[in-house]
Amino acid sequence: MTNENTCVLADGCKAAGTDACTRHCTHFIAMHGASGGGGRSGAAGLPREYRLVTLKNSPAQGDQAEAYKAAYAYASTFNRQFDQQSGSVAAADRIKSLYLVSESPGTGKTTAAAALLNARPRVHHSGSLRRGLEPLQRPAYFLDVNAWQNDYNEFNRPRVPDSVAEPAAARYYRALEAAKTAPFAVLDDIGVRDATDGFRGDLHTVINARVTNQLPTVYTSNIALDQLWQVFGERRLADRVGDLCREIEFVGESKRGMRR
Protein backbone atom coordinates (compact mmCIF):
# COMPACT_ATOMS: atom_id res chain seq x y z
CA MET A 1 0.00 0.00 0.00
CA THR A 2 1.39 3.38 -0.96
CA ASN A 3 1.56 6.32 1.39
CA GLU A 4 0.46 9.33 -0.63
CA ASN A 5 -2.69 9.91 1.44
CA THR A 6 -0.78 10.18 4.71
CA CYS A 7 1.99 12.59 3.69
CA VAL A 8 1.69 16.32 3.00
CA LEU A 9 4.73 16.07 0.72
CA ALA A 10 2.81 13.86 -1.74
CA ASP A 11 1.50 16.86 -3.68
CA GLY A 12 4.25 17.34 -6.23
CA CYS A 13 6.35 14.35 -5.15
CA LYS A 14 7.46 12.19 -8.09
CA ALA A 15 7.37 9.06 -5.93
CA ALA A 16 3.77 9.56 -4.79
CA GLY A 17 1.63 6.55 -5.67
CA THR A 18 4.62 4.36 -6.55
CA ASP A 19 6.18 1.49 -4.63
CA ALA A 20 8.71 3.96 -3.22
CA CYS A 21 5.93 5.87 -1.46
CA THR A 22 5.99 4.16 1.94
CA ARG A 23 6.41 5.03 5.60
CA HIS A 24 10.08 4.15 5.19
CA CYS A 25 10.62 7.12 2.86
CA THR A 26 13.21 9.43 4.42
CA HIS A 27 11.20 12.49 3.40
CA PHE A 28 8.04 11.11 5.01
CA ILE A 29 9.97 10.45 8.22
CA ALA A 30 11.44 13.96 8.13
CA MET A 31 7.99 15.47 7.79
CA HIS A 32 5.86 13.13 9.90
CA GLY A 33 8.26 11.03 11.97
CA ALA A 34 8.56 7.25 11.92
CA SER A 35 5.19 6.95 13.67
CA GLY A 36 3.43 9.37 11.35
CA GLY A 37 2.62 11.68 14.25
CA GLY A 38 5.91 13.48 14.77
CA GLY A 39 8.59 15.08 12.62
CA ARG A 40 8.23 18.62 11.36
CA SER A 41 4.46 18.25 11.16
CA GLY A 42 4.30 17.39 14.85
CA ALA A 43 6.69 20.20 15.75
CA ALA A 44 4.39 22.67 13.99
CA GLY A 45 1.83 22.25 16.76
CA LEU A 46 -1.08 21.44 14.46
CA PRO A 47 -3.97 19.57 16.05
CA ARG A 48 -4.02 16.00 14.76
CA GLU A 49 -7.23 16.56 12.76
CA TYR A 50 -5.46 19.14 10.58
CA ARG A 51 -2.09 17.47 10.00
CA LEU A 52 -2.97 16.11 6.56
CA VAL A 53 -5.27 18.84 5.28
CA THR A 54 -4.16 20.57 2.09
CA LEU A 55 -5.69 23.21 -0.14
CA LYS A 56 -6.65 20.46 -2.59
CA ASN A 57 -8.34 18.10 -0.14
CA SER A 58 -9.86 20.70 2.17
CA PRO A 59 -13.59 20.05 2.67
CA ALA A 60 -14.26 23.78 3.05
CA GLN A 61 -13.23 24.99 -0.39
CA GLY A 62 -16.52 24.10 -2.09
CA ASP A 63 -18.35 26.66 0.03
CA GLN A 64 -15.56 29.24 -0.01
CA ALA A 65 -14.49 29.48 -3.64
CA GLU A 66 -13.33 33.11 -3.51
CA ALA A 67 -11.44 32.65 -0.26
CA TYR A 68 -9.65 29.58 -1.61
CA LYS A 69 -8.78 31.37 -4.83
CA ALA A 70 -6.97 33.91 -2.65
CA ALA A 71 -5.41 31.14 -0.55
CA TYR A 72 -3.97 29.39 -3.63
CA ALA A 73 -2.54 32.70 -4.83
CA TYR A 74 -0.99 33.28 -1.41
CA ALA A 75 0.56 29.80 -1.29
CA SER A 76 2.14 30.46 -4.69
CA THR A 77 4.33 33.11 -3.03
CA PHE A 78 5.95 30.64 -0.62
CA ASN A 79 8.95 30.03 -2.89
CA ARG A 80 9.99 33.60 -2.13
CA GLN A 81 10.94 32.55 1.39
CA PHE A 82 14.47 31.69 0.29
CA ASP A 83 15.01 35.07 -1.34
CA GLN A 84 13.37 36.79 1.61
CA GLN A 85 15.74 35.07 4.04
CA SER A 86 18.73 36.26 2.02
CA GLY A 87 17.38 39.81 1.86
CA SER A 88 17.32 39.79 -1.94
CA VAL A 89 13.56 40.18 -2.36
CA ALA A 90 12.06 43.65 -2.72
CA ALA A 91 9.76 44.84 0.05
CA ALA A 92 6.84 44.92 -2.38
CA ASP A 93 7.38 41.21 -3.19
CA ARG A 94 7.80 40.05 0.40
CA ILE A 95 5.51 37.24 1.56
CA LYS A 96 2.80 39.13 3.36
CA SER A 97 0.24 38.07 5.96
CA LEU A 98 -3.40 37.03 5.75
CA TYR A 99 -6.36 37.76 8.01
CA LEU A 100 -9.10 35.15 7.58
CA VAL A 101 -12.37 36.40 9.01
CA SER A 102 -16.02 35.48 9.21
CA GLU A 103 -18.85 36.74 11.36
CA SER A 104 -19.90 33.16 12.14
CA PRO A 105 -17.63 30.48 13.57
CA GLY A 106 -17.32 27.16 11.76
CA THR A 107 -17.03 28.48 8.21
CA GLY A 108 -13.66 26.82 7.52
CA LYS A 109 -11.14 29.52 8.43
CA THR A 110 -9.03 27.25 10.63
CA THR A 111 -9.09 24.48 8.03
CA ALA A 112 -7.84 26.89 5.35
CA ALA A 113 -5.18 28.26 7.69
CA ALA A 114 -4.01 24.72 8.48
CA ALA A 115 -3.85 23.89 4.77
CA LEU A 116 -1.66 26.94 4.20
CA LEU A 117 0.54 25.99 7.12
CA ASN A 118 1.01 22.49 5.67
CA ALA A 119 1.92 23.99 2.31
CA ARG A 120 4.67 26.12 3.79
CA PRO A 121 6.87 23.26 5.22
CA ARG A 122 6.35 21.29 2.00
CA VAL A 123 7.76 24.15 -0.07
CA HIS A 124 10.47 24.76 2.53
CA HIS A 125 11.53 21.09 2.62
CA SER A 126 11.78 20.57 -1.12
CA GLY A 127 13.23 24.02 -1.76
CA SER A 128 15.91 23.58 0.89
CA LEU A 129 17.00 20.22 -0.52
CA ARG A 130 17.21 21.63 -4.05
CA ARG A 131 19.47 24.41 -2.75
CA GLY A 132 21.68 22.07 -0.71
CA LEU A 133 20.35 23.50 2.57
CA GLU A 134 19.31 21.69 5.71
CA PRO A 135 15.55 22.12 6.20
CA LEU A 136 14.57 23.78 9.44
CA GLN A 137 13.08 21.56 12.13
CA ARG A 138 10.22 24.01 12.64
CA PRO A 139 9.62 26.11 9.52
CA ALA A 140 6.04 26.82 10.58
CA TYR A 141 4.02 26.91 13.79
CA PHE A 142 0.30 26.79 14.65
CA LEU A 143 -0.87 28.60 17.78
CA ASP A 144 -4.41 27.89 18.96
CA VAL A 145 -4.88 31.09 20.95
CA ASN A 146 -7.82 29.70 22.92
CA ALA A 147 -5.88 26.61 24.01
CA TRP A 148 -2.90 28.83 24.80
CA GLN A 149 -5.11 31.02 26.98
CA ASN A 150 -6.38 27.90 28.77
CA ASP A 151 -2.80 27.03 29.69
CA TYR A 152 -2.29 30.57 30.98
CA ASN A 153 -5.38 30.29 33.15
CA GLU A 154 -4.32 26.83 34.35
CA PHE A 155 -1.10 28.00 35.98
CA ASN A 156 -2.49 31.33 37.19
CA ARG A 157 -5.49 30.00 39.11
CA PRO A 158 -5.26 30.36 42.89
CA ARG A 159 -4.19 27.27 44.84
CA VAL A 160 -3.59 25.20 41.70
CA PRO A 161 -1.21 22.32 42.58
CA ASP A 162 2.32 22.43 41.18
CA SER A 163 1.70 19.13 39.37
CA VAL A 164 -0.87 20.97 37.23
CA ALA A 165 0.61 24.47 37.09
CA GLU A 166 4.17 23.57 36.12
CA PRO A 167 3.37 21.52 32.97
CA ALA A 168 0.85 24.18 31.87
CA ALA A 169 3.40 26.96 32.35
CA ALA A 170 6.04 24.98 30.45
CA ARG A 171 3.67 24.42 27.51
CA TYR A 172 2.64 28.06 27.57
CA TYR A 173 6.13 29.52 27.39
CA ARG A 174 7.31 27.00 24.79
CA ALA A 175 4.39 28.03 22.61
CA LEU A 176 5.09 31.72 23.19
CA GLU A 177 8.68 31.38 22.00
CA ALA A 178 7.76 29.22 19.01
CA ALA A 179 5.00 31.60 17.92
CA LYS A 180 7.34 34.59 18.19
CA THR A 181 10.16 33.11 16.15
CA ALA A 182 8.79 30.60 13.60
CA PRO A 183 9.46 31.74 10.03
CA PHE A 184 5.75 31.24 9.30
CA ALA A 185 2.87 30.98 11.76
CA VAL A 186 -0.87 30.64 12.10
CA LEU A 187 -2.44 32.47 15.04
CA ASP A 188 -5.85 30.87 15.24
CA ASP A 189 -8.73 32.89 16.73
CA ILE A 190 -6.89 36.00 17.85
CA GLY A 191 -10.06 37.90 18.73
CA VAL A 192 -9.99 36.66 22.34
CA ARG A 193 -12.22 38.48 24.77
CA ASP A 194 -12.23 38.52 28.57
CA ALA A 195 -8.46 38.12 28.67
CA THR A 196 -6.35 39.30 31.58
CA ASP A 197 -3.85 42.09 31.02
CA GLY A 198 -1.03 39.57 31.44
CA PHE A 199 -2.29 37.21 28.74
CA ARG A 200 -3.18 40.06 26.41
CA GLY A 201 0.32 41.45 26.92
CA ASP A 202 1.88 38.12 25.89
CA LEU A 203 -0.31 37.97 22.78
CA HIS A 204 0.79 41.51 21.97
CA THR A 205 4.41 40.39 22.38
CA VAL A 206 3.95 37.54 19.89
CA ILE A 207 2.25 39.72 17.26
CA ASN A 208 4.67 42.60 17.72
CA ALA A 209 7.68 40.30 17.35
CA ARG A 210 6.32 38.81 14.15
CA VAL A 211 5.44 42.17 12.60
CA THR A 212 8.74 43.76 13.63
CA ASN A 213 10.75 40.87 12.17
CA GLN A 214 8.61 40.72 9.00
CA LEU A 215 7.57 37.13 9.64
CA PRO A 216 4.47 36.21 7.58
CA THR A 217 1.47 35.21 9.63
CA VAL A 218 -2.00 33.88 8.95
CA TYR A 219 -4.53 35.13 11.49
CA THR A 220 -8.05 33.79 11.93
CA SER A 221 -10.79 35.66 13.74
CA ASN A 222 -14.53 36.22 14.00
CA ILE A 223 -13.87 39.95 14.34
CA ALA A 224 -13.31 42.20 11.33
CA LEU A 225 -9.83 43.65 11.09
CA ASP A 226 -11.04 47.22 11.47
CA GLN A 227 -12.78 46.25 14.73
CA LEU A 228 -9.88 44.31 16.23
CA TRP A 229 -8.70 47.30 18.22
CA GLN A 230 -11.75 46.94 20.46
CA VAL A 231 -10.47 43.55 21.61
CA PHE A 232 -6.87 44.67 22.01
CA GLY A 233 -7.95 47.86 23.74
CA GLU A 234 -5.76 49.98 21.49
CA ARG A 235 -5.44 50.81 17.83
CA ARG A 236 -1.66 50.62 17.56
CA LEU A 237 -1.33 46.83 17.70
CA ALA A 238 -4.43 46.24 15.59
CA ASP A 239 -2.95 48.59 13.00
CA ARG A 240 0.27 46.55 13.08
CA VAL A 241 -1.69 43.36 12.40
CA GLY A 242 -3.21 45.09 9.38
CA ASP A 243 0.18 46.22 8.05
CA LEU A 244 0.95 44.31 4.83
CA CYS A 245 -1.94 41.98 5.65
CA ARG A 246 -4.77 41.02 3.29
CA GLU A 247 -8.19 40.43 4.81
CA ILE A 248 -10.15 37.50 3.33
CA GLU A 249 -13.77 36.97 4.26
CA PHE A 250 -15.30 33.52 4.73
CA VAL A 251 -19.01 33.65 4.00
CA GLY A 252 -22.05 31.68 5.11
CA GLU A 253 -23.10 30.03 8.33
CA SER A 254 -21.36 27.51 10.54
CA LYS A 255 -20.94 24.01 9.07
CA ARG A 256 -19.64 22.46 12.30
CA GLY A 257 -21.22 19.14 13.11
CA MET A 258 -22.29 18.53 9.53
CA ARG A 259 -20.86 15.76 7.39
CA ARG A 260 -19.27 17.32 4.33
Side-chain angles (χ1 to χ4, degrees):
M1 181 180 293
T2 59
N3 202 41
E4 71 268 24
N5 293 324
T6 57
C7 180
V8 296
L9 294 174
D11 184 15
C13 178
K14 293 180 180 179
T18 72
D19 291 341
C21 183
T22 72
R23 285 179 174 259
H24 301 293
C25 170
T26 57
H27 303 301
F28 171 82
I29 293 171
M31 186 59 60
H32 296 286
S35 67
R40 289 169 173 83
S41 179
L46 268 172
R48 188 171 296 274
E49 64 183 300
Y50 295 119
R51 288 187 183 176
L52 295 175
V53 69
T54 67
L55 290 174
K56 287 185 177 180
N57 70 23
S58 171
Q61 64 176 314
D63 297 323
Q64 305 291 348
E66 288 301 312
Y68 270 77
K69 181 179 178 181
Y72 274 105
Y74 182 66
S76 72
T77 70
F78 286 173
N79 274 315
R80 300 178 191 169
Q81 63 186 278
F82 300 98
D83 295 328
Q84 187 164 309
Q85 289 164 4
S86 68
S88 60
V89 64
D93 295 325
R94 227 171 55 219
I95 302 173
K96 301 176 178 64
S97 296
L98 291 185
Y99 190 88
L100 311 184
V101 63
S102 66
E103 183 175 339
S104 300
T107 55
K109 300 183 301 297
T110 298
T111 301
L116 286 168
L117 187 139
N118 280 328
R120 176 75 179 212
R122 178 177 59 79
V123 174
H124 175 79
H125 185 82
S126 59
S128 295
L129 295 179
R130 286 198 303 271
R131 291 166 173 81
L133 304 173
E134 179 68 22
L136 297 173
Q137 288 301 309
R138 184 181 278 151
Y141 188 70
F142 182 97
L143 181 68
D144 180 336
V145 175
N146 282 312
W148 191 47
Q149 185 180 22
N150 288 341
D151 276 338
Y152 181 89
N153 294 337
E154 191 84 338
F155 70 83
N156 279 288
R157 288 186 299 150
R159 297 184 297 279
V160 64
D162 290 346
S163 61
V164 174
E166 291 177 1
R171 287 193 303 271
Y172 181 85
Y173 286 108
R174 282 198 302 268
L176 186 150
E177 190 60 27
K180 280 171 54 179
T181 60
F184 180 84
V186 169
L187 303 188
D188 187 42
D189 202 4
I190 65 167
V192 291
R193 299 183 185 273
D194 302 322
T196 65
D197 289 341
F199 176 77
R200 188 178 289 112
D202 285 344
L203 180 57
H204 287 204
T205 296
V206 169
I207 294 172
N208 191 62
R210 299 197 62 78
V211 174
T212 299
N213 292 295
Q214 300 179 351
L215 299 174
T217 309
V218 174
Y219 307 93
T220 76
S221 182
N222 294 329
I223 298 169
L225 187 54
D226 63 2
Q227 298 299 312
L228 190 62
W229 67 271
Q230 298 182 29
V231 174
F232 286 164
E234 59 171 299
R235 290 190 179 273
R236 182 178 61 86
L237 188 64
D239 288 344
R240 299 211 77 189
V241 171
D243 185 38
L244 295 177
C245 184
R246 179 182 178 186
E247 186 172 16
I248 297 176
E249 183 179 5
F250 280 64
V251 297
E253 298 179 350
S254 174
K255 300 295 193 301
R256 284 181 184 163
M258 297 176 61
R259 291 189 176 274
R260 305 173 64 192

